[in-house]
Amino acid sequence: MSAAEPAPDGTPARRPRRELVEAQIYEQATRLFAERGFAGTSLQDIADAMGMTRPSLYYYVKNKDELLARLVTEITEAPAAATEEIAGRELDATTKLRELVGLIAGQQARQAARFQLVIRSESELPDELAVAHQAAKRRVLDGFARVVDQGIRSGEFRPRDVRTTALALIGMCNWIAWWFRPGGPQSPEEVAGQMAEMAVAMVAQAPDRLPETPRPDDPAAALSLLRQDLDYLERIITTTPSKD
């Protein structure tokens, strides 16, 4: 289908040039919002950065709110949907966690400037966008919490507070946006892979405490771990010299 032909649904096809210009506008808006803040950036500033007039800019965007809404949505909605999808898969918790962290860490490395912008602009978001943004963040937290809880129940992860663990894992991923530098010694994919392995190591149960056949909500697995603890305590009691 050529640029001049309509799409299958009858709507005009988007021209490659328009898509290219829009992508450049969003990149410039991201940079300016991050440097000056949302309130401190005008459409004229964005037009100047693009080397175009303000009327020409209106051909691509209506206002600043539209720009910010798209930037925030790309950073929050897509990861929220992907997190829910991964958390709902029929996989073991370790595999899910590795995929979740790889997903979020990779995004933060590839879109660091946009993530920083969202964080700095949270207090300036229009009410409707702020509500959607917070809802997306809760969906990500819920997805991580579900995977952590699954791992604890199956015996794959150490028993820790689920919400605190989930927040720690998300925070570890989010911090990448502040220290990762494009063109450095590691690619976004390499960073994502390393962070995924670190996340698993952070929560993984000690090898000698893993049930032979861990299953979610398995009382026998929990009893097996308790017996290991009791055996350990008995050894300490019997080998510790008496103070008398």
Side-chain angles (χ1 to χ4, degrees):
M1 183 174 66
S2 69
E5 294 175 344
D9 62 0
T11 59
R14 298 187 67 183
R15 292 173 297 175
R17 172 173 169 74
R18 181 184 178 93
E19 293 177 353
L20 177 61
V21 173
E22 285 183 350
Q24 292 173 341
I25 289 172
Y26 286 111
E27 287 303 317
Q28 291 296 339
T30 298
R31 179 180 63 80
L32 291 171
F33 288 160
E35 291 176 356
R36 307 178 184 183
F38 180 67
T41 303
S42 67
L43 281 179
Q44 185 62 57
D45 294 328
I46 298 171
D48 291 342
M50 285 294 299
M52 62 171 56
T53 65
R54 184 164 175 167
S56 297
L57 184 64
Y58 282 127
Y59 176 72
Y60 299 98
V61 295
K62 296 178 181 178
N63 50 48
K64 287 197 307 178
D65 286 351
E66 180 184 302
L67 281 170
L68 186 60
R70 174 169 168 176
L71 294 172
V72 172
T73 299
E74 288 180 352
I75 288 296
T76 58
E77 287 295 332
T83 298
E84 290 176 333
E85 191 274 327
I86 292 173
R89 292 177 185 172
E90 294 295 329
L91 298 171
D92 60 88
T94 300
T95 300
K96 287 183 182 180
L97 182 60
R98 187 175 285 111
E99 292 190 10
L100 275 179
V101 172
L103 169 77
I104 302 300
Q107 180 203 37
Q108 303 303 58
R110 287 187 293 270
Q111 299 181 320
R114 293 193 178 191
F115 181 76
Q116 291 181 31
L117 162 64
V118 171
I119 295 302
R120 290 169 174 164
S121 302
E122 283 185 329
S123 62
E124 302 178 83
L125 296 179
D127 291 342
E128 184 176 347
L129 184 57
V131 170
H133 175 54
Q134 290 301 320
K137 289 172 62 176
R138 286 193 296 271
R139 289 164 61 195
V140 171
L141 175 58
D142 179 67
F144 270 81
R146 286 167 57 193
V147 172
V148 171
D149 183 63
Q150 176 189 338
I152 292 173
R153 290 176 181 273
S154 67
E156 295 170 73
F157 300 162
R158 294 193 299 273
R160 297 289 186 270
D161 181 79
V162 171
R163 187 173 186 274
T164 300
T165 303
L167 287 169
L169 291 166
I170 295 170
M172 179 178 73
C173 294
N174 288 347
W175 188 243
I176 295 172
W178 304 97
W179 59 257
F180 180 78
R181 293 293 179 268
Q186 289 185 303
S187 68
E189 292 71 27
E190 290 171 332
V191 168
Q194 184 175 351
M195 296 297 286
E197 294 305 321
M198 290 173 63
V200 170
M202 185 175 80
V203 301
Q205 184 63 271
D208 62 345
R209 285 177 53 79
L210 285 172
E212 292 183 3
T213 55
R215 298 189 306 275
D217 303 310
D218 184 359
L223 287 173
S224 174
L225 295 178
L226 285 173
R227 290 193 184 97
Q228 291 180 43
D229 287 338
L230 288 173
D231 290 342
Y232 174 69
L233 288 172
E234 287 178 355
R235 288 198 301 273
I236 292 177
I237 293 173
T238 57
T239 58
T240 300
S242 172
K243 293 185 178 180
D244 297 337

